[in-house]
């Protein structure tokens, strides 16, 4: 069977929530419980009816010294004796959790699956957080002091040079995503920035500057999954997962044939589109993993929204702005909304859920099909999901 | 006799090279069969960056480059620091041995879990 081929039953999302993202006083267990409770309340589902619970989190042990968080959450939300499992897929833990939760329902193993993603990071210094995240690299990379931002700098230089793209086009990604985040009451940064501010900000990984990077963030997000026929008992209108797939690329970044191609984005996207019977032209709104501005270009190209080396032209032309043909990162993206690692993939799908159901407030766009792409490492592991409205 | 470990590209049974080595060849799936030392060769800078936000125990700023060696008809890429921030794409560089690339005690990893020596790249005229 081809990867991503449809199996089992249609899987619906009947509840969604996210906490305020930013610097939070709460620790990981309280952040997860806040999003989980709000999600169950949103769906009108009792905790006792939850059969499976997945917790997406990269590094609560390393950041906080707290492990076993899936069991803690199951008890805190009154889910016992539900099956509970933690999903770690680095920055793509949320997307990994989406895939696990989808599998748990599509297989028939669970009729009600709660996914909660979260991370608590801001109590660490930026240098310490950077080191926790850099520990995902190969020892041959780590010993040189490589960081995820430095991979972005290496890749951005290669991209700008090879495709003759202006430096300003990357800054436009930050400007656009900050403009969107300004309309998101749960975003870490609810303020617009202009091009000059981005281009004059301190150098972090040449040629990328401070505003090319997402911040360090605390926060949590949750989604509730069930079979579509069960969803009808709870809601007249809900969201269905039409396609979902995951893929990996090489762990060692420099071993990729072309540093400007995100192979795992391409492969997970192709499989998700195939499963859904859709193509890139069908997508009305997308949340992409803009941990660094350059990644928004590379994902647009790997998912088929732009030809290789041409995404920057679409951004320059405004096609990906909220009133453009394909709005990207209406939530503010990781750049402005924030990036609590394990929460991010879930929060991306929460934004698409709200867009599809007309619940996005000031950020609302006209959308029937939405896509979320969650990237781990520097494209090491990726999940892509296609969501649509049903009822 | 030198104590330097060499900058090794691992070779599989079918002659495919990679750095670092893996138990199975990414190209053809064959097991590893040997290694080629690149320490005496020169390479070309494919891309570079200077990182100003470095983790504990890492020099700041830290200029890093991906460089490409030509070995027969194959290209082997290697990531490493450079000896100077003054590098450009297309520059020719040579490996220079450094006994300790970062402070093994300062970061999150267990010092005994991996090697900390290796090669930085120095531009040649």
């Amino acid at each position: 069977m081809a990867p991503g081929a449809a199996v089992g039953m249609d899987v619906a999302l009947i509840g969604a929530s996210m906490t305020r993202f930013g610097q939070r006083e709460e620790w990981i267990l309280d952040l997860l419980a806040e999003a989980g409770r709000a999600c169950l309340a949103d769906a009108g589902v009792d905790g006792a009816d939850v059969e499976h619970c997945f917790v997406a989190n990269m590094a609560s042990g390393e950041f906080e010294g707290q492990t076993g968080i899936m069991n803690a959450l199951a008890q805190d939300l009154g889910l016992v004796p539900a099956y509970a499992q933690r999903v770690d897929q680095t920055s793509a833990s949320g997307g990994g959790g989406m895939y696990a939760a989808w599998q748990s329902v599509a297989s028939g193993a669970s009729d009600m699956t709660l996914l909660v993603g979260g991370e608590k990071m801001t109590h660490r210094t930026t240098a310490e957080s950077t080191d926790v995240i850099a520990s995902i690299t190969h020892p041959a990379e780590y010993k040189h002091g490589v960081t995820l931002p430095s991979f972005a700098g290496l890749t951005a230089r290669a991209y700008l040079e090879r495709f003759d793209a202006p430096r300003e086009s990357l800054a436009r990604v930050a400007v656009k995503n900050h403009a969107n985040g300004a309309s998101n009451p749960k975003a870490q940064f609810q303020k617009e920035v202009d091009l000059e501010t981005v281009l004059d900000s301190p150098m972090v990984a040449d040629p990328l500057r401070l505003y090319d990077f997402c911040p360090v963030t605390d926060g949590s997000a949750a989604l509730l999954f069930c079979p579509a026929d069960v969803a009808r008992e709870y809601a007249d209108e809900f969201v269905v997962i039409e396609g979902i797939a995951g893929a990996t690329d090489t762990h060692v970044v420099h071993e990729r044939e072309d540093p400007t191609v995100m192979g795992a984005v391409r492969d997970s996207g192709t499989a998700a589109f195939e499963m859904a019977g859709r193509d890139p032209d069908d997508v009305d709104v997308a949340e992409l993993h803009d941990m660094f501005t350059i990644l928004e270009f590379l994902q647009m190209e790997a998912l088929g929204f732009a030809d290789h080396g041409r995404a920057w032209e679409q951004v320059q032309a405004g096609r990906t702005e909220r009133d453009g043909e394909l709005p990207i990162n209406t939530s503010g993206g990781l750049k402005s909304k924030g990036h609590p690692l394990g929460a991010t993939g879930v929060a991306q799908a929460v934004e698409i859920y709200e867009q599809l159901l007309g619940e996005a407030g000031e950020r609302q766009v006209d959308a029937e099909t939405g896509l979320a792409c969650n990237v781990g490492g520097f494209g090491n592991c990726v999940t892509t999901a296609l969501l649509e409205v049903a009822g | 006799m030198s104590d330097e470990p060499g900058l090794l590209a691992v070779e599989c049974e079918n002659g495919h090279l990679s750095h670092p080595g893996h138990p199975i060849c990414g190209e053809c799936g064959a097991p590893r069969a040997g290694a080629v030392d690149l320490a005496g060769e020169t390479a070309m800078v494919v891309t570079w960056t200077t990182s100003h936000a470095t983790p504990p125990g890492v020099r700041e700023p830290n200029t890093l480059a991906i460089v490409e060696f030509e070995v027969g008809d194959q290209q082997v890429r290697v990531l490493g620091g450079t000896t100077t921030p003054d590098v450009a794409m297309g520059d020719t560089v040579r490996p220079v041995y450094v006994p300790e690339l970062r402070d093994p005690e300062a970061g999150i990893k267990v010092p005994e879990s991996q090697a900390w020596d290796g090669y930085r790249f120095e531009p040649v005229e």
Side-chain angles (χ1 to χ4, degrees):
Chain A
M1 188 164 55
V7 292
M9 58 191 81
D10 289 338
V11 177
L13 300 175
I14 57 166
S17 71
M18 68 175 270
T19 69
R20 185 172 54 78
F21 277 13
Q23 191 168 356
R24 297 285 306 260
E25 287 178 7
E26 296 85 349
W27 296 90
I28 187 65
L29 295 179
D30 288 337
L31 289 170
L32 294 171
E34 181 184 334
R37 285 184 67 188
C39 183
L40 291 171
D42 180 52
V45 169
D46 194 278
D49 292 329
V50 172
E51 297 177 11
H52 286 184
C53 175
F54 292 90
V55 175
N57 170 262
M58 172 174 161
S60 62
E62 291 80 354
F63 279 121
E64 186 179 319
Q66 177 68 59
T67 60
I69 58 177
M70 61 288 174
N71 288 127
L73 184 70
Q75 180 171 13
D76 285 351
L77 295 183
L79 312 183
V80 174
Y83 170 75
Q85 183 186 329
R86 175 172 170 265
V87 179
D88 162 22
Q89 207 177 95
T90 69
S91 284
S93 297
M98 290 273 298
Y99 203 17
W102 173 82
Q103 289 166 5
S104 96
V105 172
S107 66
S110 167
D111 271 350
M112 193 61 72
T113 296
L114 178 65
L115 167 64
V116 185
E119 210 81 41
K120 169 68 178 170
M121 306 169 71
T122 63
H123 57 291
R124 294 287 195 170
T125 65
T126 299
E128 287 170 345
S129 291
T130 303
D131 195 35
V132 169
I133 298 168
S135 73
I136 71 168
T137 61
H138 192 284
E141 299 172 318
Y142 183 82
K143 69 182 181 182
H144 288 288
V146 80
T147 58
L148 276 289
S150 60
F151 282 134
L154 290 162
T155 305
R157 182 178 307 287
Y159 184 97
L160 295 177
E161 176 83 12
R162 176 166 162 195
F163 300 115
D164 205 19
R167 173 63 186 82
E168 179 199 306
S169 62
L170 288 169
R172 284 196 181 275
V173 173
V175 171
K176 166 181 71 71
N177 293 350
H178 269 272
N180 289 337
S183 305
N184 186 346
K186 290 177 175 166
Q188 183 163 6
F189 300 129
Q190 297 171 39
K191 64 166 192 184
E192 300 198 21
V193 296
D194 57 24
L195 268 182
E196 291 68 34
T197 304
V198 178
L199 292 170
D200 293 342
S201 63
M203 194 70 86
V204 171
D206 196 343
L208 299 180
R209 294 169 181 270
L210 184 63
Y211 276 93
D212 288 295
F213 298 91
C214 71
V216 172
T217 309
D218 307 325
S220 180
L223 287 165
L224 193 60
F225 297 64
C226 67
D229 55 3
V230 173
R232 289 188 187 92
E233 297 170 20
Y234 290 93
D236 295 332
E237 201 181 39
F238 50 88
V239 167
V240 285
I241 298 176
E242 290 288 341
I244 185 164
T248 50
D249 202 341
T250 63
H251 178 214
V252 179
V253 172
H254 70 250
E255 288 192 67
R256 296 173 194 167
E257 202 170 309
D258 185 339
T260 65
V261 172
M262 298 187 83
V265 173
R266 176 197 59 212
D267 294 341
S268 69
T270 300
F273 278 120
E274 189 179 315
M275 177 179 160
R278 297 281 185 269
D279 62 47
D281 287 343
D282 295 320
V283 175
D284 303 311
V285 61
E287 287 285 304
L288 304 185
H289 194 97
D290 59 328
M291 186 175 184
F292 320 114
T293 50
I294 182 67
L295 288 187
E296 196 163 305
F297 290 177
L298 301 188
Q299 283 162 82
M300 286 172 66
E301 295 171 9
L303 290 166
F305 297 138
D307 291 336
H308 189 205
R310 308 295 291 271
W312 65 271
E313 294 173 356
Q314 296 194 18
V315 172
Q316 291 277 73
R319 182 172 181 251
T320 58
E321 288 175 20
R322 200 191 301 164
D323 60 357
E325 200 183 325
L326 175 62
I328 290 179
N329 286 327
T330 53
S331 69
L334 285 58
K335 176 72 204 76
S336 162
K337 184 180 58 194
H339 180 30
L341 306 167
T344 285
V346 184
Q348 290 178 310
V350 168
E351 175 71 10
I352 298 295
Y353 176 96
E354 292 181 352
Q355 288 288 359
L356 295 176
L357 293 180
E359 299 172 358
E362 266 186 65
R363 307 187 309 283
Q364 187 65 51
V365 299
D366 186 19
E368 291 178 359
T369 300
L371 177 146
C373 182
N374 190 201
V375 173
F378 200 73
N380 303 9
C381 48
V382 178
T383 58
T384 303
L386 279 155
L387 309 181
E388 295 187 358
V389 183
Chain B
M1 265 313 269
S2 163
D3 291 335
E4 296 177 15
L7 180 56
L8 300 182
V10 166
E11 189 168 23
C12 81
E13 284 178 351
N14 294 317
H16 299 127
L17 296 169
S18 77
H19 176 89
H22 304 280
I24 295 294
C25 175
E27 189 101 10
C28 69
R32 53 203 286 177
V36 176
D37 189 359
L38 305 173
E41 309 295 324
T42 58
M44 187 197 73
V45 174
V46 175
T47 185
W48 63 274
T49 188
T50 297
S51 174
H52 297 273
T54 57
V58 176
R59 65 180 181 163
E60 197 207 330
N62 187 25
T63 301
L64 296 160
I66 294 174
V67 306
E68 187 170 274
F69 290 88
E70 297 273 350
V71 185
D73 60 353
Q74 289 187 66
Q75 290 85 40
V76 184
R77 287 185 180 174
V78 178
L79 172 91
T82 59
T83 58
T84 164
D86 193 17
V87 291
M89 292 169 79
D91 276 1
T92 300
V93 293
R94 68 180 186 90
V96 176
Y97 180 70
V98 178
E100 192 171 278
L101 294 162
R102 66 186 284 181
D103 179 359
E105 303 289 340
I108 191 175
K109 295 193 87 171
V110 173
E112 294 75 21
S113 69
Q114 69 163 84
W116 301 96
D117 64 339
Y119 292 80
R120 287 191 179 135
F121 300 107
E122 179 180 71
V124 294
E125 293 304 318

